[in-house]
Amino acid sequence: MNDKPEEKTDPIDSAIQIGLMALLTGWSIYIASPFIGPIIWGIIIAIGSHPLYSWLHKKICLGKNLTATLLTLLMLAVLIIPSVMLSGALVEEARELSGYLQEGNELSIPPPPDRIANWPLVGKKLHAFWVYASENPGEALGEIEPQLKTVGKWLLSAAAGTGLGILMFIFSILEFRVSNIVPPYIFG
């Protein structure tokens, strides 16, 4: 029958092994968590763009890898070119405004349109403050400086988040290029 004697496992050893496996699994998930979103988006892009990939492959009669590379470059261009143009315009406008104010020019705020006073709830207060700001911009901006700093920090944070989102989307598109093997198995 069985020549080996039955080994009894110690419950403490089993608990330690299970705990270490759980710790290792949790740590692995923690390390991989920044990459899970882009990988999922890469798979979504690969599946969603497979009909375009198939059509382009048939039309240009290049190899599968060259077609996937061409489609990847096209998708990156569609994403990167408008992002760079928008970022450049925002930076240039900020630079011009900063230079304008550093030259000693005063900020001029035009008076508000009269229809703003008719807005419900905030119209009269907003109109009055806008009139005050158009007459005394330095004083008006000094009064709302804490709010402007808060909004400025939020805008910088949002811009950084947008930049990170664009980088992650670029990573997802590049992941699409790597995972161009997946759709044939899915679509047959």
Side-chain angles (χ1 to χ4, degrees), residues 3-156:
D3 293 338
K4 292 183 182 179
E6 191 174 308
E7 291 183 29
K8 292 186 179 182
T9 57
D10 188 16
I12 294 176
D13 286 344
S14 296
I16 290 173
Q17 288 176 351
I18 291 171
L20 287 175
M21 289 300 293
L23 180 67
L24 185 60
T25 302
W27 191 30
S28 298
I29 291 171
Y30 175 74
I31 290 171
S33 65
F35 303 102
I36 292 173
I39 289 172
I40 290 172
W41 274 110
I43 292 169
I44 290 170
I45 291 169
I47 292 170
S49 64
H50 182 53
L52 177 63
Y53 167 79
S54 295
W55 176 81
L56 190 62
H57 179 64
K58 288 176 187 173
K59 289 292 181 188
I60 62 174
C61 297
L62 291 175
K64 290 182 178 184
N65 285 336
L66 285 174
T67 304
T69 301
L70 181 67
L71 186 59
T72 301
L73 292 174
L74 180 68
M75 293 170 82
L76 287 173
V78 166
L79 176 70
I80 291 174
I81 291 172
S83 298
V84 168
M85 290 175 65
L86 177 63
S87 299
L90 289 174
V91 167
E92 185 60 32
E93 286 296 320
R95 187 177 295 136
E96 285 181 18
L97 179 61
S98 175
Y100 178 79
L101 293 175
Q102 284 180 354
E103 289 174 359
N105 296 324
E106 230 179 84
L107 186 64
S108 64
I109 300 173
D114 292 332
R115 66 180 181 272
I116 290 182
N118 297 329
W119 287 1
L121 300 175
V122 297
K124 290 181 182 178
K125 288 182 180 180
L126 179 61
H127 187 271
F129 184 77
W130 195 337
V131 167
Y132 173 62
S134 67
E135 293 170 356
N136 302 314
E139 291 177 25
L141 291 177
E143 288 182 18
I144 61 169
E145 184 178 355
Q147 291 88 351
L148 289 176
K149 284 183 179 180
T150 303
V151 169
K153 288 178 184 176
W154 178 83
L155 284 174
L156 284 174

Side-chain angles (χ1 to χ4, degrees), residues 169-184:
F169 199 67
I170 288 170
F171 179 73
S172 297
I173 290 173
L174 293 174
E175 175 65 25
F176 150 75
R177 169 63 180 96
V178 171
S179 66
N180 69 351
I181 302 166
V182 174

